């Protein structure tokens, strides 16, 4: 994907609201000096500056303060604004939380509809075995800039002079040239906080930027890769990966992960007592990149003219579910774990990808990662090679055969975010990985398109979600039986009948079900509990009702 191009002239044009905020901050510092004798400066830092220079609007302003704590300044600012009839939202504090990259207490509030964070300029020192700073102190603007992750994130906008400040002397040029570089030597930067490796990858994929060679060399260092495992909380790695998958170009990130040999350090942080139970070795790591490249190609509006375009049904879930696309990208990235299982301490078998998502990335069911991706893997086997000439589809009712396949809970289940179209798309991706020639790839796409087209022709697109005409209680009452495991089997037969008789009514289905029961084709449990001793009447000692 093309990189984001910086304007020829790098300058910041304030909106009317931003101008009001800057003026208020400037006037407030003057008042603070006059009334309290406290001298401070306000600089807007980091992401807001970067995005404004690239022509994007940002609604979050991080204000870096000189020689004053964020809460102290926020309280004075609120009083100062109130005296000028300017409304300031409730001030809250975000406590220091190094695991969340919050190394100092931050004051936060809303003003003119924008989120404002206030924190002092800082300098940090790190222990050798942790990415959490061992000491955080007040710092100069230069020290604050140098301790940041990337030069493009180390830019300031001075509220008082209305100028851009580049204390690394590289940030503006790197923004122009599309470069990812660390303010300090990369080895020092990454040993201090190896999470910055993943952050560099995230911003490279977001803007289409490239790493400088010395940064690549540092990341490839085995010592640094080891710290990515030992010093970084898995939750933080998972949060960065989530942002990558939701971002502009996840494939660029996966490409960098592959190029820098980072797959294991990010996705396979698994103890040996778990890997020793693997059913088989994971697939080649290159399959991760292949799968994401294929997904991007299939979704691209300007896909190769040599390849047929996808049937619209295959991308319908992506259009309707905002979480579907990033879930597919993460699933594609984890392709090497497809088909691999592990055993827990009770010797129960689970997909290895479940362990990776839950433990290596600490991701849960949000966006249906933990519950949705393992079933995507399982569905890819069920939907493999959906050739309409297969014997499976040549049953008495093609509609019922295909409909039951698509209604499988692994393939289609709202509770796990699974939709049969996205399951089918992921299955296609897996089948295309071994294909190296355009002709073979085209044949696979045509195969899946034909299947989707037939689903549409048979009117199954809505039937997949249709509820059974009869529910469990109605089936039990209709057959005069006792509810039990058989109920689910009968409900599956009801669904099959519906698929075979799309215009059939509930009454017709009931008559068919009773006929099946009468003819002995359905085995159900009677209302008489099994092994119950017959009732013996005290009066006549008979074993039947005699009254």
């Amino acid at each position: 994907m093309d990189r984001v191009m910086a304007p020829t002239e790098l300058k910041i044009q304030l909106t009317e609201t931003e101008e009001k905020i800057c003026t208020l901050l400037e006037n407030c510092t003057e008042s603070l000096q006059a009334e309290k004798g406290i001298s401070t400066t306000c600089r807007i830092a980091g992401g807001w500056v970067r995005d404004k220079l690239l022509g994007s609007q940002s609604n979050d302003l991080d204000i870096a303060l000189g020689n004053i704590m964020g809460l102290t300044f926020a309280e004075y600012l609120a009083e100062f604004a109130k005296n000028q009839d300017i409304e300031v939202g409730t001030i809250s504090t975000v406590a220091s939380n190094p695991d969340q990259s919050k190394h100092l207490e931050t004051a936060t509030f809303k003003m003119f509809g924008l989120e404002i964070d206030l924190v002092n300029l800082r300098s940090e020192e790190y222990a050798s075995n942790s990415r959490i700073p061992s000491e955080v102190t007040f710092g100069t603007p230069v020290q604050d800039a140098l301790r940041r992750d990337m030069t493009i994130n180390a830019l300031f906008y001075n509220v008082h002079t209305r100028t851009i400040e580049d204390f690394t002397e590289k940030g503006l040029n790197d923004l122009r040239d599309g470069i990812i570089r660390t303010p300090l030597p990369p080895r020092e930067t990454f040993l201090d906080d190896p999470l910055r490796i993943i952050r560099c990858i995230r911003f490279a994929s977001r803007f289409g930027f490239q790493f400088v060679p010395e940064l690549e060399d540092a990341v490839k260092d085995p010592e640094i890769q080891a710290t990515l495992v030992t010093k970084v909380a898995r939750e933080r790695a998972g949060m960065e990966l989530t942002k990558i998958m939701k971002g502009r170009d996840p494939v660029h990130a996966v490409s960098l992960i592959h190029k820098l040999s980072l797959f294991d350090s990010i996705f396979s942080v698994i103890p040996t007592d778990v890997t020793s139970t693997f059913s088989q070795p994971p697939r080649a790591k290159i399959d991760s990149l292949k799968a994401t490249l294929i997904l991007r190609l299939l979704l691209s509006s300007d896909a190769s003219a040599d390849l047929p375009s996808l049937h619209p049904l295959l991308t319908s879930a992506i259009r309707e579910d905002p979480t579907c696309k990033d879930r597919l990208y993460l699933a594609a990235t984890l392709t090497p774990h497809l088909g691999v299982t592990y055993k827990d301490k009770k010797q129960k078998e689970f997909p290895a990808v479940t362990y990776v998502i839950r433990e290596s990335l600490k991701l849960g069911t949000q966006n249906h990662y933990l519950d949705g991706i393992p079933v995507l893997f399982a569905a890819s086997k069920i939907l493999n090679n959906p050739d309409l000439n297969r014997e499976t589809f040549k049953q008495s009712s093609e509609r019922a055969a295909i409909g039951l396949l698509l209604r499988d809970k692994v393939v289609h289940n709202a509770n796990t975010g699974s939709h049969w179209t996205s399951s089918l798309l992921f299955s296609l991706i897996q089948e295309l990985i071994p294909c190296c020639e355009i002709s073979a790839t085209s044949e696979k796409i045509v195969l899946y398109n034909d299947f989707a087209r037939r689903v549409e022709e048979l009117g199954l697109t809505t039937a997949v979600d249709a509820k059974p005409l009869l529910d469990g209680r109605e089936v039990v009452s209709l057959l005069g039986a006792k509810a039990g495991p058989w109920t689910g089997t009968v409900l599956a037969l009801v669904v099959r009948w519906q698929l075979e008789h799309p215009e059939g009514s509930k009454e017709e289905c009931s008559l068919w079900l009773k006929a099946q029961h009468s003819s002995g084709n359905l085995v159900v449990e009677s209302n008489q509990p099994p092994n119950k001793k017959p009732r013996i009447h005290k009066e006549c000692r008979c074993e039947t009702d005699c009254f």
Side-chain angles (χ1 to χ4, degrees), residues 39-51:
S39 177
T40 189
T41 55
C42 296
R43 290 176 171 89
I44 306 177
W48 179 89
V49 184
R50 179 201 62 231
D51 290 348

Side-chain angles (χ1 to χ4, degrees), residues 35-330:
E35 291 191 7
K36 305 287 186 179
I38 299 175
S39 177
T40 189
T41 55
C42 296
R43 290 176 171 89
I44 306 177
W48 179 89
V49 184
R50 179 201 62 231
D51 290 348
K52 291 289 285 189
L53 289 172
L54 289 174
S56 299
Q57 185 58 35
S58 177
N59 293 322
D60 297 328
L61 281 76
D62 294 329
I63 312 297
L65 302 165
N67 302 317
I68 189 171
M69 298 295 289
L71 181 59
T72 302
F73 185 82
E75 290 173 342
Y76 187 87
L77 176 65
E79 187 64 28
F80 181 80
K82 182 180 179 182
N83 291 335
Q84 298 187 38
D85 296 324
I86 296 174
E87 184 178 350
V88 174
T90 303
I91 299 172
S92 58
T93 57
V94 180
S96 173
N97 186 351
D99 276 345
Q100 303 296 322
S101 293
K102 297 290 186 182
H103 303 314
L104 284 177
E105 184 177 84
T106 303
T108 181
F109 58 89
K110 270 194 172 185
M111 182 189 292
F112 300 118
L114 299 182
E115 295 284 348
I116 311 290
D117 286 356
L118 293 165
V119 69
N120 58 278
L121 294 166
R122 55 200 186 270
S123 175
E124 299 170 350
E125 292 184 11
Y126 291 83
S128 61
N129 62 345
S130 174
R131 63 171 289 270
I132 299 174
S134 57
E135 184 178 5
V136 182
T137 60
F138 283 103
T140 66
V142 174
Q143 289 173 321
D144 191 281
L146 292 177
R147 61 98 194 162
R148 292 179 181 260
D149 50 13
M150 283 157 268
T151 56
I152 62 172
N153 290 343
L155 298 166
F156 293 101
Y157 181 75
N158 192 308
V159 167
H160 312 283
T161 63
R162 298 294 203 273
T163 57
I164 302 161
E165 297 174 332
D166 183 5
F167 293 108
T168 70
E169 299 181 355
K170 296 174 182 175
L172 290 173
N173 285 336
D174 288 346
L175 207 57
R176 290 189 186 95
D177 299 335
I179 294 295
I180 296 294
R181 187 199 314 268
T182 54
L184 295 173
R187 179 178 172 80
E188 178 182 345
T189 297
F190 295 148
L191 284 177
D192 280 346
D193 184 357
L195 181 68
R196 291 167 175 165
I197 296 171
I198 307 180
R199 284 180 57 80
C200 285
I201 291 172
R202 174 160 72 87
F203 281 98
S205 67
R206 176 177 173 182
F207 298 120
F209 287 5
Q210 300 299 318
F211 284 9
V212 292
E214 58 268 27
L215 192 149
E216 290 189 7
D217 292 340
V219 174
K220 291 177 182 177
D221 186 330
E223 181 184 357
I224 288 178
Q225 294 203 356
T227 63
L228 189 55
V229 175
T230 59
K231 288 182 69 172
V232 174
R234 303 320 303 168
E235 292 88 347
R236 288 296 294 155
M239 288 172 64
E240 291 296 327
L241 261 295
T242 297
K243 292 176 182 178
I244 285 173
M245 296 303 152
K246 291 178 175 294
R248 178 171 170 266
D249 188 7
V251 179
H252 186 27
V254 176
S255 177
L256 283 170
I257 289 170
H258 175 70
K259 181 180 180 181
L260 301 171
S261 302
L262 287 170
F263 188 89
D264 286 342
S265 300
I266 296 175
F267 299 109
S268 295
V269 184
I270 307 173
T272 54
D273 63 333
V274 175
T275 57
S276 63
T277 70
F278 275 9
S279 59
Q280 64 190 58
R283 287 163 48 175
K285 298 179 184 66
I286 190 63
D287 284 356
S288 174
L289 179 57
K290 287 181 179 178
T292 54
L293 282 166
I294 290 168
L295 175 56
R296 184 173 69 180
L297 177 65
L298 295 178
L299 299 183
S300 175
S301 58
D302 57 348
S304 171
D306 296 325
L307 294 177
S309 59
L310 286 183
H311 190 285
L313 276 179
L314 295 178
T315 55
S316 60
I318 292 177
R319 294 191 296 271
E320 296 168 7
D321 177 2
T323 70
C324 184
K325 187 175 180 179
D326 50 281
R327 184 163 59 252
L328 282 170
Y329 267 116
L330 182 56

